[in-house]
Amino acid sequence: MVLDPQTSPYLSCLQCPRKCGADRLDFRTGFCGETQSLRIASAGLHFGEEPVVTVFGGSGTIFFTGCTLRCSFCQNYQISQQGMGTAVDCDAFVKICLELQENGAENINLVTGSHHIPLIAEFLTAAKKSGLEIPVAWNSSAYESVESLELLRGLVDIWLPDLKTLNPVMSEGLFCAPDYPSVAKKSIRWMVKNFPMNITRVERNGDIKEKMLSGVVIRHLFLPGRMDDTVMVLDWLKKNADGKAILSLMSQYTPVPFKGDSDGGIAREKSLGAFQNRLVDATEDADLRDFIDAYGFDYVFYQDLSDDTSWLPDFNRKQPFSNALAKPLWHWGCGFIN
């Protein structure tokens, strides 16, 4: 893609709600840490998503470099905050999508691409013209404008937004985004309104599973010691999304051993003091299950409590995840993996 300097969305960039105005065309970076180049860190089949997304073949995840948030506890901090990844053009992106499809991916799962929506929309269009037929999922923090999301209409089928918190004090301290609650609610409302659930049943060797073809799965990660914040989120979801979207309540919060970023270490530790930076305990797990039962959500996923931390990714490796969770096909350091 050759960006016109006069009309490019990356000139005085206003792509995300921060509207930082960076001239990303001149290879300068905005808050997201990225220039005009679309960078990717890893691509492969992922088996740790919700069952309707993973199904049999796994979700064809593509992890983009950069992010519009700076979550203090981000498990993907190497790519979201430390710039790990390499630039790809349209042809390379299309090839990655088609390879994932060829290897049995149930969908193409685009992870944290909010800061590059115009370019991703163009690349997706090319991929579909080149034979991409499986559904496309948009996996994001929900910190994105409806105007930008409209560029993905007709290209994305499944939406996997986080609803991290509705507490602006928490979002300011943890994500550097006090407006996160209002922005995320607006974005999620748009997704739910425009993309009703379409779930079918598929069979393989006598095993029958549900598969999402379109719709919304709203994810909320419980932060230890912040039950009131989760209740606030559940209240909003019950009123605005129940029966229209799937709720995925996650209890796998895990302290992340950040490496190679000592300059921001003090600030990060201070930020993490907003909650209890530890694994979820059995009492909290039981309380969360009671809440789910009490709210009576129409369609909800909830994780089993575990103290296993082996799933934490390391994007320095060709296999960033545990072997049980993913099958890598492409890595920023070497390209396609044989």
Side-chain angles (χ1 to χ4, degrees):
M1 177 183 184
V2 178
L3 297 171
D4 183 346
Q6 303 303 316
T7 60
S8 170
Y10 299 112
L11 175 66
S12 187
C13 186
L14 305 177
Q15 287 304 295
C16 85
R18 295 188 186 279
K19 301 187 183 301
C20 69
D23 180 6
R24 294 167 63 186
L25 272 187
D26 196 29
F27 293 97
R28 299 174 187 152
T29 59
F31 182 94
C32 62
E34 294 302 297
T35 67
Q36 61 176 315
S37 298
L38 182 66
R39 296 199 296 153
I40 294 175
S42 178
L45 301 176
H46 200 285
F47 300 94
E49 306 285 34
E50 289 78 8
V52 294
V53 178
T54 299
V55 201
F56 291 108
S59 186
T61 49
I62 300 177
F63 289 86
F64 296 103
T65 305
C67 185
T68 59
L69 296 182
R70 289 180 184 159
C71 298
S72 300
F73 50 83
C74 180
Q75 69 188 47
N76 297 341
Y77 71 95
Q78 294 165 309
I79 61 175
S80 65
Q81 299 175 30
Q82 294 184 350
M84 189 176 290
T86 192
V88 296
D89 60 15
C90 185
D91 289 344
F93 178 85
V94 169
K95 186 175 182 181
I96 290 171
C97 289
L98 296 181
E99 284 288 331
L100 289 168
Q101 179 173 265
E102 179 67 22
N103 278 269
E106 304 283 355
N107 44 66
I108 299 297
N109 186 342
L110 306 175
V111 184
T112 319
S114 305
H115 51 295
H116 263 307
I117 288 178
L119 205 51
I120 291 173
E122 179 169 334
F123 287 6
L124 274 178
T125 300
K128 288 177 178 289
K129 289 180 179 178
S130 298
L132 181 65
E133 298 177 340
I134 56 178
V136 174
W138 187 254
N139 190 334
S140 76
S141 68
Y143 191 62
E144 47 211 354
S145 70
V146 167
E147 293 76 17
S148 291
L149 293 176
E150 283 285 355
L151 298 177
L152 298 171
R153 188 188 288 271
L155 297 171
V156 169
D157 309 283
I158 300 167
W159 302 82
L160 308 173
D162 290 338
L163 185 52
K164 296 176 181 290
T165 184
L166 292 180
N167 183 338
V169 175
M170 289 288 286
S171 65
E172 180 175 19
L174 293 173
F175 323 139
C176 301
D179 61 340
Y180 175 85
S182 59
V183 170
K185 287 191 292 186
K186 186 175 181 180
S187 297
I188 290 173
R189 284 195 186 102
W190 178 88
M191 296 172 189
V192 171
K193 176 182 178 181
N194 290 286
F195 296 87
M197 286 192 293
N198 180 6
I199 297 175
T200 189
R201 291 178 179 269
V202 293
E203 183 269 339
R204 180 180 295 180
N205 299 325
D207 189 9
I208 298 175
K209 293 186 178 183
E210 289 186 319
K211 177 177 179 176
M212 176 172 271
L213 301 178
S214 65
V216 185
V217 179
I218 305 168
R219 296 161 163 176
H220 173 67
L221 175 66
F222 168 69
L223 298 179
R226 301 296 306 191
M227 190 67 72
D228 288 348
D229 286 349
T230 288
V231 170
M232 193 185 308
V233 168
L234 294 178
D235 280 343
W236 189 87
L237 290 174
K238 183 65 179 179
K239 295 173 184 175
N240 293 277
D242 191 28
K244 304 172 187 176
I246 296 173
L247 166 62
S248 182
L249 182 56
M250 301 182 293
S251 60
Q252 92 276 19
Y253 178 82
T254 304
V256 176
F258 279 75
K259 298 177 182 178
D261 188 22
S262 57
D263 291 344
I266 296 176
R268 182 178 298 108
E269 288 300 318
K270 181 179 179 181
S271 173
L272 291 171
F275 63 99
Q276 297 174 25
N277 186 27
R278 55 168 173 78
L279 297 173
V280 175
D281 64 35
T283 299
E284 290 168 324
D285 178 65
D287 288 344
L288 289 170
R289 291 177 182 274
D290 287 344
F291 276 123
I292 288 296
D293 290 341
Y295 277 98
F297 283 99
D298 186 57
Y299 204 144
V300 60
F301 291 116
Y302 184 76
Q303 296 171 316
D304 291 330
L305 188 64
S306 173
D307 59 2
D308 179 18
T309 63
S310 64
W311 58 269
L312 283 173
D314 182 355
F315 289 93
N316 279 302
R317 304 189 309 240
K318 292 181 182 179
Q319 168 56 298
F321 300 90
S322 69
N323 290 329
L325 275 182
K327 175 185 176 182
L329 295 179
W330 186 96
H331 184 261
W332 67 272
C334 64
F336 284 100
I337 300 169
N338 295 326

